[in-house]
Amino acid sequence: MIRVLVFLIVTGVTLSAQERPRPVDTSPKAVLAAASGYLKTYQTALEFVLADEITVQEVFDERDRRTARRETSGDFFLSYVAGDGGWLSVRDISKVDGKEVETGDDLRGLLNRGSMARIGRALADRNARYNIGSVTRNFNDPMLALVILDPKHQGRFRFERRDVVTTDAGTLVTLAFTERDRPTLILGSDMSPVFTRGEMTIDAATGRLQRSVITMKDGPTTASLTTTFAKVEKLDLWLPSVLVERYEHATSRQKEQVLVESTYTNFRKFSVTVKIR
């Protein structure tokens, strides 16, 4: 009887040890490797996705008084373009402050007729005319952080682990990054390099990006872009839900702050016959 009892106790200890989950590697190298694997799958899954976008812009003066406000809405198109090796995010603004605007073509019609890269640039320039404030910008893309995580570009950045949080959903690691090589992700209005820095919160086990903050400084102007991702059950994908932008422009003659918040809803897939070249 004594021998049997000892055997059961030892066996129970062994089973408990086997059931204990293995710790997740939270080193920057391991988290970036997981993110690379996640992106590879994500690139295949994220093709021809359309969402509704609503953007509110507000401008404040040196006394924090609001001097201007604008609300735009329209379609937001997302896709990975294998031919160009990058992400394509295109806005097609249809309303400004509740009023219909003349666009000439809708997004679906444009994508059916031309190369995605060319159409993307044309729409980015066209939509920039609806920006308010003195800061010129057309890089406000909620998917910008995915370019940094791409294995082709990771080497141009320095990554450091900033925080590790264990939740019921998994282990979340926040990596701080600093851009160190040229060509830089963002260029100034005079085509000079603008180096970025910031942080990303990533699920260490899956490599899934959940939040990104990108900051930069170009002369008297500083900017930050914060994207929060959420799961879209219908598509079984984590996609941007909110993009918050903050711009501060300060000179001896002027001080201005621009706050922008974009929300994304009603994600769906659609088909177009596109030319990628």
Side-chain angles (χ1 to χ4, degrees):
M1 179 65 68
I2 294 175
R3 290 180 180 177
V4 172
L5 286 175
V6 170
F7 175 77
L8 289 175
I9 292 172
V10 172
T11 302
V13 171
T14 304
L15 286 174
S16 298
Q18 290 176 344
E19 292 171 356
R20 188 177 299 122
R22 297 178 61 182
V24 179
D25 191 343
T26 60
S27 67
K29 182 178 179 180
V31 174
L32 289 172
S36 297
Y38 174 75
L39 279 182
K40 187 175 181 180
T41 303
Y42 197 65
Q43 289 168 357
T44 303
L46 190 60
E47 289 184 338
F48 310 130
V49 172
L50 198 63
D52 295 341
E53 179 189 59
I54 297 177
T55 298
V56 176
Q57 305 176 62
E58 295 180 301
V59 180
F60 298 86
D61 64 13
E62 67 279 358
R63 297 183 181 180
D64 290 330
R65 296 176 302 190
R66 191 174 71 182
T67 59
R69 183 185 186 276
R70 172 166 288 173
E71 179 176 319
T72 61
S73 60
D75 289 332
F76 186 72
F77 173 80
L78 291 170
S79 188
Y80 181 76
V81 186
D84 293 338
W87 303 95
L88 178 66
S89 302
V90 180
R91 288 178 174 85
D92 188 23
I93 295 174
S94 58
K95 288 185 179 181
V96 176
D97 292 330
K99 297 181 180 180
E100 299 283 348
V101 296
E102 293 293 333
T103 60
D105 291 288
D106 64 7
L107 179 61
R108 191 186 299 262
L110 288 169
L111 290 172
N112 271 317
R113 288 210 311 271
S115 91
M116 296 176 74
R118 180 174 61 81
I119 294 303
R121 287 192 296 270
L123 284 176
D125 291 340
R126 188 184 75 182
N127 290 336
R129 66 185 178 181
Y130 299 119
N131 291 339
I132 57 177
S134 59
V135 179
T136 301
R137 59 197 188 274
N138 67 356
F139 54 83
N140 48 336
D141 186 344
M143 308 295 278
L144 193 58
L146 296 178
V147 179
I148 299 172
L149 288 176
D150 193 304
K152 293 181 297 185
H153 303 296
Q154 284 184 13
R156 295 167 42 212
F157 295 83
R158 182 176 70 252
F159 294 89
E160 297 177 351
R161 190 177 65 184
R162 178 170 290 176
D163 193 20
V164 179
V165 177
T166 301
T167 70
D168 293 338
T171 301
L172 302 180
V173 177
T174 298
L175 295 181
F177 66 88
T178 304
E179 192 170 16
R180 57 186 181 181
D181 294 335
R182 306 183 189 193
T184 55
L185 196 62
I186 305 295
L187 295 176
S189 57
D190 59 354
M191 303 305 290
S192 60
V194 176
F195 290 89
T196 59
R197 59 192 309 143
E199 64 180 38
M200 303 181 192
T201 301
I202 300 170
D203 185 295
T206 65
R208 182 183 65 241
L209 178 63
Q210 294 199 186
R211 182 176 180 270
S212 67
V213 180
I214 301 175
T215 64
M216 64 206 76
K217 181 174 176 57
D218 182 23
T221 303
T222 60
S224 69
L225 284 73
T226 302
T227 303
T228 303
F229 291 80
K231 187 173 183 179
V232 178
E233 296 291 346
K234 183 170 64 174
L235 300 181
D236 194 26
L237 287 170
W238 282 70
L239 295 166
S241 60
V242 180
L243 169 64
V244 176
E245 307 166 55
R246 185 186 186 99
Y247 304 92
E248 294 185 1
H249 182 75
T251 66
S252 59
R253 296 183 178 182
Q254 180 188 25
K255 184 177 180 181
E256 182 182 86
Q257 184 180 95
V258 182
L259 300 180
V260 186
E261 180 170 302
S262 301
T263 56
Y264 304 91
T265 57
N266 189 28
F267 284 95
R268 66 271 190 198
K269 286 199 172 186
F270 74 106
S271 299
V272 293
T273 304
V274 297
K275 301 174 184 177
I276 302 175
R277 57 176 180 265

